[in-house]
Amino acid sequence: MASPDRNPWRRFLALPNTSRTKTLVVAFLVSAICAVLVSGATVLLRPIKAANRAAEEQARIAALVRGVPGMAELLERAGGTLSTVVIDLDTGRAATGVTPDTLEATLADAANWTALETGEDVAGIGHRPDFAQIYLLREGETVSLVLLPVAGQGYNGQIEAILALRGDMNTIAGIAVTGHAETPGLGARIEEPAWQAGWPGKLLRDEAGTLRFAVARGSATSIHEVDGITGATRTSTAMTRMVRFWLGPRGYGPLVEAIRRGEF
């Protein structure tokens, strides 16, 4: 009489295909292998996706700057590049010990985020990073253009954009929406060049220094307003609140004042 096979794998393979044990084990193995492959692909592709997103943002920044009247000449005189600075939002000064290369790791630490109280969180973001990367263009010692990343809660999700300001820190030079989840054909129009073209030249504050910027419910009626988007009142309101928060005291307010005083 032949001795029984002591190899468990061969004994398993010898089971009939109708065996419930064999079916469950095979299903588990296939699922496990697929999970490993998917996880591995995610890890391998993450740097590529991050690089692609960074490249897309840089392309939007370049397009935004090129669309500002007179900026091509200023860039040429400045050597064709914007300077990049990480600022401490609480002080409005260049951050100490945090660089563009270390910013992502810094913001991965929850200790470097500030919880916002309901009354001050007009943008609906919940928490604000303590540090932000901005872009500057100088003409001699004078700041002539500032690009500020901003974000706020829209109708369907977070809206991300880059707001460009002239050196007076009161005149909008342009805006580029870099991410959103708004409704196609309605709120999603915030990414259309035709709508964004209405932003340059608008003023943030009145002569008394009060922040007046708003996306109107209909057509703009003042130098502080941008035309609203028909059928997308909540998205329009979100854009208003986003700009007002980030240009206020809990956002870039301290930086704005430092630049206006010539101290940055």
Side-chain angles (χ1 to χ4, degrees):
M1 185 176 65
S3 61
D5 193 338
R6 297 181 180 278
N7 187 305
W9 179 245
R10 285 200 295 266
R11 288 165 56 191
F12 169 74
L13 293 178
L15 292 173
N17 291 336
T18 56
S19 167
R20 178 176 298 180
T21 300
K22 188 173 185 179
T23 300
L24 291 175
V25 172
V26 170
F28 172 78
L29 291 174
V30 170
S31 299
I33 292 171
C34 289
V36 170
L37 291 175
V38 170
S39 298
T42 300
V43 172
L44 291 174
L45 292 176
R46 186 178 294 126
I48 298 175
K49 291 173 65 177
N52 287 341
R53 182 173 182 180
E56 290 174 0
E57 182 169 314
Q58 290 299 321
R60 290 190 180 98
I61 291 172
L64 175 59
V65 174
R66 287 197 302 270
V68 178
M71 283 301 112
E73 293 81 3
L74 285 176
L75 276 173
E76 185 176 350
R77 289 201 296 269
T81 58
L82 294 164
S83 60
T84 303
V85 183
V86 175
I87 64 164
D88 183 322
L89 287 170
D90 286 330
T91 65
R93 305 290 182 174
T96 302
V98 184
T99 68
D101 291 335
T102 63
L103 178 60
E104 183 176 356
T106 299
L107 296 183
D109 184 349
N112 292 317
W113 290 73
T114 297
L116 300 170
E117 297 181 4
T118 302
E120 62 187 4
D121 186 19
V122 294
I125 55 178
H127 292 74
R128 184 219 67 186
D130 293 339
F131 305 97
Q133 179 175 309
I134 68 168
Y135 307 87
L136 296 169
L137 182 65
R138 295 182 185 272
E139 190 172 13
E141 296 298 318
T142 304
V143 174
S144 56
L145 185 72
V146 182
L147 274 63
L148 306 173
V150 296
Q153 182 63 29
Y155 179 55
N156 288 325
Q158 185 162 279
I159 298 172
E160 298 175 349
I162 297 173
L163 181 66
L165 302 182
R166 291 282 192 173
D168 64 0
M169 300 308 291
N170 193 45
T171 305
I172 296 176
I175 191 169
V177 174
T178 58
H180 72 87
E182 301 305 276
T183 307
L186 294 173
R189 290 181 55 202
I190 58 175
E191 67 181 0
E192 294 179 359
W195 184 72
Q196 295 178 15
W199 286 63
K202 299 298 182 179
L203 302 182
L204 296 169
R205 295 175 173 80
D206 60 19
E207 294 181 356
T210 303
L211 192 58
R212 297 290 189 188
F213 174 83
V215 177
R217 289 184 177 272
S219 299
T221 59
S222 77
I223 192 62
H224 303 103
E225 290 185 335
V226 173
D227 288 344
I229 300 174
T230 303
T233 301
R234 291 179 67 175
T235 301
S236 298
T237 300
M239 294 296 291
T240 297
R241 291 176 174 174
M242 179 173 70
V243 172
R244 289 189 176 185
F245 171 80
W246 284 102
L247 271 298
R250 298 294 271 162
Y252 294 110
L255 171 69
V256 168
E257 293 304 314
I259 293 177
R260 293 179 68 181
R261 293 192 302 264
E263 297 174 355
F264 193 92

